[in-house]
Amino acid sequence: MNNPGWEEKRPEVIGQRITALIAKLDEHIEDPAVRIELKHALLHLADIKLALNESSIVAVTDHKGIIQYVNDKFCEISKYEREELMGKDHRIINSGYHGKTFMNELWRSIASGSVWRGDIKNRAKDGSYYWVNTTIVPFLNAKGKPYQYLAIRNEVTELKRVQEELQQMMKQVMIVQEEERRRLSRELHDGIGQSLFSLLIGMDKLIQDGSLDDAERLRTSVSHLMEDVRSLAWELRPSVLDDLGVVPAIRTYTDNFTNHYGIGVKLDIHLRRRLGPQEETTIYRIIQEALTNIGKYADVDECCITLSDLPDRIEVNVVDEGKGFQRDSSTKGVGLFSMEERARAIDGQLVVQSQPGQGTKILLIIPKKS
């Protein structure tokens, strides 16, 4: 056995030790009130230990992450015998799902003495995977440095499965939505738009032949209608996004945005390649939604968009120094929900930072696939 001291941490052993301590109270403490108070405290501690071990997956490690104690539920879910876990670190159940950045941030947090909370995907001995909602509590010595970590976990595998299914459904809905927008956009441009253009040519011929002034007025109405159709087709899905990519689409959209709202857009784009169709659509739609919100609510003369192609990720920043807003559940409208779902559908992350009077920053992070 790698760590003989683990036996002293088992709940039944701790319970026996607490019982022995209670028995000794009568021998060494004369004050009855103190004896009663200590007995109650020890019994309360025993109850908490029992409840924790019955309800949660528990592990204790030293400051280096070496496992010193696991309860029965830990063994049950990981499918390892207790003896196989003692003296090992948690790499024994590492699924490989979480990248180095995730694990480094976890260790940086607990090593600094902070409590860490989050969901972790682990792998059992038989190769199966499971998710646990985890809280890691550092125990600090007199110098404020961790000497031990207590990890309390609860299985959330089924919840994660349902979440993943919902995410896949949302992903499919968005794909279907974009395909339908593409179809409608093409029909508006190539069908109705071309028919109106043919009508416009015929009306020009009538005017040249010296027909009545009504023809000119009718031509003007048709011309305006064509502009409306072009605008609607662009809003549904600009053809340049499919034909040339997200960068030309962003430049064209921001030009139209400036003309419509009178708000300047400073572009800082460092992307010299085409991305996948879903990634490009997500970037375009999130920028479109963010600029629409700026035009309606921010009350600014200028905003900034940055698109960066970094070694491990694509980053999109949309920043304004306008009115801002207070982030809470009541401010999470359809637009923000749509942006977050689009980001999740490509395994990305959307971060929104805003405060009243301090502007708004929207950050989209798209990890590169290895």
Side-chain angles (χ1 to χ4, degrees):
M1 190 177 299
N2 293 316
N3 185 1
W6 75 270
E7 282 285 354
E8 298 181 0
K9 293 185 172 121
R10 296 197 58 163
E12 56 269 29
V13 175
I14 292 173
Q16 292 169 6
R17 292 174 63 189
I18 289 175
T19 302
L21 284 172
I22 291 174
K24 289 181 180 181
L25 288 178
D26 292 332
E27 300 176 15
H28 299 284
I29 299 177
E30 296 181 358
D31 189 332
V34 174
R35 286 204 305 269
I36 291 173
E37 185 175 350
L38 285 174
K39 285 180 181 179
H40 287 167
L42 289 170
L43 289 171
H44 183 60
L45 177 60
D47 290 341
I48 291 175
K49 293 288 291 183
L50 176 62
L52 183 62
N53 279 285
E54 288 295 322
S55 64
S56 302
I57 303 160
V58 181
V60 177
T61 70
D62 65 13
H63 68 287
K64 293 182 179 180
I66 303 301
I67 297 173
Q68 297 182 318
Y69 164 74
V70 293
N71 68 348
D72 290 341
K73 286 188 174 295
F74 192 110
C75 298
E76 180 184 340
I77 194 170
S78 70
K79 298 180 172 61
Y80 283 97
E81 296 295 329
R82 186 173 278 103
E83 290 77 8
E84 296 177 281
L85 296 167
M86 293 303 105
K88 303 293 196 316
D89 62 30
H90 278 79
R91 281 195 291 267
I92 194 172
I93 55 171
N94 187 354
S95 67
Y97 177 83
H98 305 283
K100 289 183 178 179
T101 302
F102 177 90
M103 300 309 297
N104 288 342
E105 177 60 25
L106 185 158
W107 272 104
R108 185 202 63 77
S109 179
I110 61 176
S112 68
S114 299
V115 175
W116 185 90
R117 297 178 178 86
D119 292 338
I120 298 178
K121 185 177 184 179
N122 288 331
R123 182 174 61 188
K125 184 179 180 180
D126 64 359
S128 61
Y129 294 96
Y130 62 94
W131 281 90
V132 282
N133 180 259
T134 304
T135 300
I136 303 177
V137 182
F139 292 171
L140 308 181
N141 60 23
K143 295 181 179 180
K145 299 294 184 180
Y147 67 89
Q148 187 171 267
Y149 299 107
L150 170 65
I152 303 170
R153 301 176 173 91
N154 290 284
E155 186 181 4
V156 290
T157 306
E158 183 63 18
L159 176 61
K160 282 291 183 179
R161 185 190 66 78
V162 172
Q163 288 177 342
E164 288 175 1
E165 286 185 358
L166 287 173
Q167 185 174 337
Q168 287 300 316
M169 288 175 61
M170 288 297 299
K171 186 176 181 179
Q172 290 301 316
V173 167
M174 289 179 181
I175 291 173
V176 171
Q177 182 186 57
E178 286 299 328
E179 288 299 323
E180 186 65 12
R181 284 181 169 183
R182 182 183 289 111
R183 184 186 67 80
L184 289 173
S185 177
R186 293 293 186 188
E187 287 185 2
L188 283 171
H189 182 270
D190 299 336
I192 298 174
Q194 291 301 324
S195 298
L196 288 171
F197 185 69
S198 299
L199 179 59
L200 195 63
I201 292 174
M203 295 175 70
D204 283 339
K205 187 174 184 305
L206 286 175
I207 293 171
Q208 290 172 2
D209 292 342
S211 300
L212 299 176
D213 293 341
D214 288 344
E216 280 197 42
R217 288 193 292 271
L218 187 57
R219 184 194 187 283
T220 300
S221 297
V222 173
S223 179
H224 290 163
L225 181 58
M226 287 178 64
E227 288 299 321
D228 291 341
V229 169
R230 287 196 189 99
S231 177
L232 180 58
W234 177 269
E235 287 294 326
L236 281 169
R237 185 174 178 92
S239 58
V240 68
L241 180 60
D242 298 313
D243 299 336
L244 300 178
V246 68
V247 173
I250 291 171
R251 294 189 187 280
T252 305
Y253 183 81
T254 53
D255 287 343
N256 293 338
F257 172 81
T258 297
N259 291 334
H260 182 75
Y261 288 102
I263 298 174
V265 181
K266 182 180 178 182
L267 292 176
D268 185 15
I269 296 178
H270 303 279
L271 183 66
R272 300 290 182 266
R273 62 189 178 90
R274 290 294 301 267
L275 303 175
Q278 283 186 268
E279 286 80 6
E280 291 197 335
T281 297
T282 297
I283 292 171
Y284 179 81
R285 291 301 182 197
I286 286 178
I287 288 176
Q288 182 185 43
E289 184 65 37
L291 287 182
T292 299
N293 289 336
I294 290 172
K296 290 180 178 179
Y297 309 116
D299 191 20
V300 292
D301 296 323
E302 188 180 65
C303 61
C304 178
I305 296 175
T306 304
L307 176 54
S308 304
D309 190 352
L310 302 176
D312 61 340
R313 66 193 184 280
I314 301 291
E315 280 195 4
V316 181
N317 280 279
V318 184
V319 181
D320 71 79
E321 298 181 358
K323 290 182 176 180
F325 60 93
Q326 184 67 47
R327 288 297 315 275
D328 56 43
S329 58
S330 64
T331 60
K332 193 170 181 178
V334 174
L336 182 56
F337 175 79
S338 174
M339 287 192 284
E340 290 177 340
E341 287 302 316
R342 286 186 181 279
R344 274 195 285 268
I346 57 170
D347 298 323
Q349 179 184 7
L350 188 78
V351 180
V352 180
Q353 298 175 343
S354 188
Q355 288 293 332
Q358 298 181 21
T360 301
K361 177 181 178 180
I362 293 177
L363 169 64
L364 170 65
I365 301 173
I366 304 174
K368 289 183 179 178
K369 298 176 181 178
S370 57

